[in-house]
Amino acid sequence: MFLNISVLSFMLGFFFANILSTIPAQTGEWNIMSGSIIVTLNEITSKKIYSHRVVNQYLVFELLNNIKIGIVYGLFVDAFKLGS
């Protein structure tokens, strides 16, 4: 059961990465702002997740971490699509 929820949260993060990389880039002016907002939210989430002493005990923190990893993975995939 936990594996299914983890994979679902990872794919949700991947979906959010596709949304975050396509919608603000339509105007061409929001690329730097959206990138800085994504990095800031990623670092704030990492700080909250890893500031607790026992990380694996809380399911919510694991799901947020999987969403964060999905967002980073999705942005890397989009960067490789743009580079090819």
Side-chain angles (χ1 to χ4, degrees):
M1 168 106 181
F2 180 70
L3 180 65
N4 293 336
I5 295 172
S6 295
V7 171
L8 184 66
S9 64
F10 177 77
M11 290 299 164
L12 183 68
F14 187 77
F15 178 70
F16 284 156
N18 287 328
I19 290 172
L20 291 172
S21 66
T22 56
I23 291 176
Q26 294 296 322
T27 61
E29 300 172 354
W30 286 93
N31 290 334
I32 296 173
M33 286 297 294
S34 65
S36 63
I37 289 170
I38 291 168
V39 168
T40 303
L41 290 176
N42 191 9
E43 292 298 322
I44 289 171
T45 306
S46 294
K47 183 179 179 182
K48 294 290 183 185
I49 288 172
Y50 295 118
S51 66
H52 297 305
R53 295 187 187 270
V54 181
V55 176
N56 295 329
Q57 187 177 9
Y58 301 110
L59 179 65
V60 175
F61 293 137
E62 286 290 326
L63 296 179
L64 283 175
N65 196 27
N66 288 335
I67 290 172
K68 182 185 67 134
I69 292 170
I71 289 173
V72 171
Y73 177 71
L75 291 175
F76 273 113
V77 169
D78 283 343
F80 283 127
K81 285 191 288 187
L82 291 174
S84 63

